[in-house]
Amino acid sequence: MYKTVSRCLSCESPNLLPFLDLGQMPPPNNLLDSDDPDVHESVYPLGLQACQKCGLVQLTNIVDPEEMFTHYVYIPSTAKTMVIHFTELANKVLKKISITPGSLVVDIGSNDGTLLSVFKQKGMSVLGIDPAENLVAAANNAGIPSIASFFSQETAKKVVDDYGHPKIITATNVMAHVPDTNSFVAGVRTLLDSDGTFVAEFPYGLELLKRYVFDTVYHEHVFYFTMSPLNKLFSRHGLEIYHIDKLPTIHGGSIRIYVQHKGRKKGFSVDESVGSLLDKEKIYGLDTPNPYMRFQKRAYSVRDQFTDFLEEQEKAGKTVIGYGASAKATVLLNFCNVTRKQLPLVVDSVPLKHGKWIPGVRIPIYPETDFLSFKADFGVIFPWNFANEIITKNPDFVSSKGKFVIAFPKLHFA
């Protein structure tokens, strides 16, 4: 069900530098229906390595995507922060890229259609592509035309035959999930209109390394992109990045790239935002082993701080519960070998997760609305990128002297 990566998944170089080993880990979103000890759970090695030729940071082992994506439980429409973000994204893209009403917009990894619903409200024709059959069904029921499929060059050809070439293709937090990144980019080139723009968002690899947020490393995220390897990848397929937006509040620091066909008539000029990030990456030393070794050392420091905190609260008779059954929670809890005695439960806003258990550690998930009833002394915010939203929703917890805790970049009270 998994394969070891011995050559770079972009440039095929065998010169790879391993720098993070999180051990055996269950796929983070594969929530359990039962905590029965006889129920078998799949676990896979999880770690990072950097290509010493093109610079691409990628996983050491790849899990079969079918296991992770055909039934998916992450739904952006349940987070107010993401709904606002998608509205801003659509507005900005339509302002930057002038297209006529009725033009086709395709979203790769469209989930429940939250982003496409904004484009549809703006008068665009829309189509979603997502492998999660449950979410595609929800999108279609909501009036967002969607097809259940993994995206590849073959998928792109079928979409062109059935729907034509879109003027805009979006892919938010999905490009880094696709192991065959060359087929993905080739598919974008095939699908995109000659005068179109591909807009992609993903966590920025440099921010991962600078903030030491190893909990964003999981089997779904195959790649941790930085600009130098991305430029090489797109160029190889006849495409070019012409503009970049920095998104400091999304997923701990993300970027939004705008891509067009190379040599496009009346295309956009490559602006200074691209060169600026390339310069920063060089200054940080991404072409040397140093930042990767620092990252590994810091990961173990965060683990020790978090486990020490839980042990101290357990000895003091304090109650610690989790807030947000995110993939980040699965990674941190399993890496730290947290027990149900130390952290008995996690609350979450997504109904699909209620009554399930976090894989590996088998900690139960309760509705977010039950949070105050547990009278916890501490609430660990696992999806720290939504910390402000969570704190704002829970003034009574803070006023009752409860404390929210965040583990990254070092353990602190929010």
Side-chain angles (χ1 to χ4, degrees):
M1 295 293 287
Y2 76 95
K3 64 179 181 180
T4 299
V5 178
S6 57
R7 288 181 174 272
C8 176
L9 294 169
S10 178
C11 74
E12 299 188 348
S13 169
N15 190 9
L16 299 171
L17 173 70
F19 67 92
L20 178 69
D21 183 1
L22 295 174
Q24 297 289 320
M25 189 80 62
N29 282 311
N30 282 15
L31 303 179
L32 303 176
D33 294 322
S34 167
D35 65 342
D36 186 336
D38 293 329
V39 173
H40 172 73
E41 236 184 304
S42 297
V43 294
Y44 307 101
L46 181 62
L48 289 180
Q49 55 193 346
C51 176
Q52 297 294 277
K53 181 180 179 182
C54 76
L56 182 57
V57 173
Q58 56 208 280
L59 293 182
T60 53
N61 295 273
I62 306 297
V63 178
D64 184 353
E66 292 280 349
E67 179 166 351
M68 296 184 288
F69 294 114
T70 52
H71 187 88
Y72 206 48
V73 294
Y74 173 69
I75 303 176
S77 60
T78 61
K80 182 179 178 181
T81 300
M82 291 308 298
V83 174
I84 294 171
H85 173 71
F86 283 152
T87 301
E88 178 272 336
L89 185 161
N91 288 337
K92 186 162 188 176
V93 167
L94 291 175
K95 183 177 180 180
K96 186 174 183 64
I97 305 162
S98 179
I99 60 174
T100 59
S103 297
L104 179 62
V105 176
V106 170
D107 188 25
I108 301 169
S110 49
N111 203 276
D112 63 348
T114 302
L115 173 57
L116 287 178
S117 68
V118 184
F119 281 108
K120 184 178 179 180
Q121 290 167 11
K122 300 290 182 180
M124 303 300 154
S125 298
V126 298
L127 175 69
I129 304 171
D130 197 290
E133 295 178 0
N134 60 318
L135 297 179
V136 166
N140 279 311
N141 288 337
I144 305 298
S146 303
I147 58 175
S149 177
F150 286 96
F151 185 75
S152 63
Q153 190 169 20
E154 182 180 351
T155 303
K157 291 176 180 177
K158 292 179 181 177
V159 172
V160 170
D161 289 342
D162 293 340
Y163 300 92
H165 295 279
K167 290 289 186 179
I168 294 174
I169 303 174
T170 55
T172 59
N173 206 32
V174 66
M175 184 176 169
H177 293 179
V178 182
D180 193 347
T181 194
N182 284 292
S183 178
F184 184 96
V185 175
V188 169
R189 180 198 62 208
T190 298
L191 181 58
L192 186 64
D193 187 86
S194 59
D195 291 326
T197 291
F198 170 55
V199 182
E201 289 183 3
F202 38 77
Y204 183 35
L206 182 57
E207 292 298 326
L208 166 81
L209 295 168
K210 290 170 67 175
R211 299 188 185 196
Y212 307 104
V213 285
F214 67 80
D215 63 335
T216 61
V217 176
Y218 35 95
H219 302 106
E220 294 172 9
H221 288 177
V222 180
F223 302 109
Y224 300 80
F225 289 118
T226 51
M227 284 309 303
S228 181
L230 267 180
N231 266 349
K232 295 169 186 173
L233 172 62
F234 281 112
S235 180
R236 192 183 307 134
H237 294 282
L239 299 168
E240 66 179 358
I241 303 169
Y242 67 82
H243 178 73
I244 301 169
D245 291 330
K246 296 177 71 175
L247 310 169
T249 62
I250 298 298
H251 300 298
S254 295
I255 56 175
R256 178 187 299 150
I257 61 172
Y258 296 75
V259 181
Q260 64 186 355
H261 290 283
K262 266 187 183 178
R264 165 183 164 184
K265 293 181 180 179
K266 297 182 180 179
F268 294 91
S269 299
V270 177
D271 65 31
E272 63 180 12
S273 64
V274 178
S276 175
L277 284 192
L278 287 169
D279 291 341
K280 288 180 180 179
E281 292 172 9
K282 192 166 185 64
I283 291 170
Y284 196 72
L286 292 190
D287 54 350
T288 74
N290 297 334
Y292 308 109
M293 297 301 102
R294 285 198 303 268
F295 185 87
Q296 177 176 261
K297 184 177 179 180
R298 187 61 173 270
Y300 294 118
S301 174
V302 170
R303 179 191 63 183
D304 293 344
Q305 289 175 16
F306 188 59
T307 54
D308 287 348
F309 167 77
L310 292 177
E311 288 172 4
E312 288 172 8
Q313 305 316 318
E314 183 182 0
K315 289 178 182 176
K318 301 293 185 180
T319 301
V320 183
I321 65 175
Y323 204 117
S326 60
K328 295 179 179 67
T330 299
V331 173
L332 181 62
L333 291 169
N334 279 277
F335 184 51
C336 296
N337 294 312
V338 175
T339 67
R340 199 183 296 183
K341 189 175 180 181
Q342 294 172 316
L343 194 142
L345 62 95
V346 175
V347 300
D348 196 276
S349 63
V350 180
L352 282 175
K353 298 182 181 182
H354 301 161
K356 295 184 181 293
W357 281 259
I358 290 178
V361 292
R362 302 198 174 194
I363 291 174
I365 304 167
Y366 287 79
E368 180 184 45
T369 50
D370 292 347
F371 177 58
L372 285 178
S373 67
F374 295 112
K375 301 185 184 303
D377 299 290
F378 300 94
V380 180
I381 298 178
F382 293 116
W384 38 258
N385 46 314
F386 298 135
N388 289 338
E389 179 179 333
I390 289 169
I391 294 168
T392 300
K393 284 196 291 187
N394 292 279
D396 291 342
F397 178 67
V398 177
S399 65
S400 65
K401 298 184 179 180
K403 292 183 178 180
F404 281 114
V405 181
I406 298 176
F408 296 88
K410 62 181 181 180
L411 192 131
H412 64 281
F413 298 119

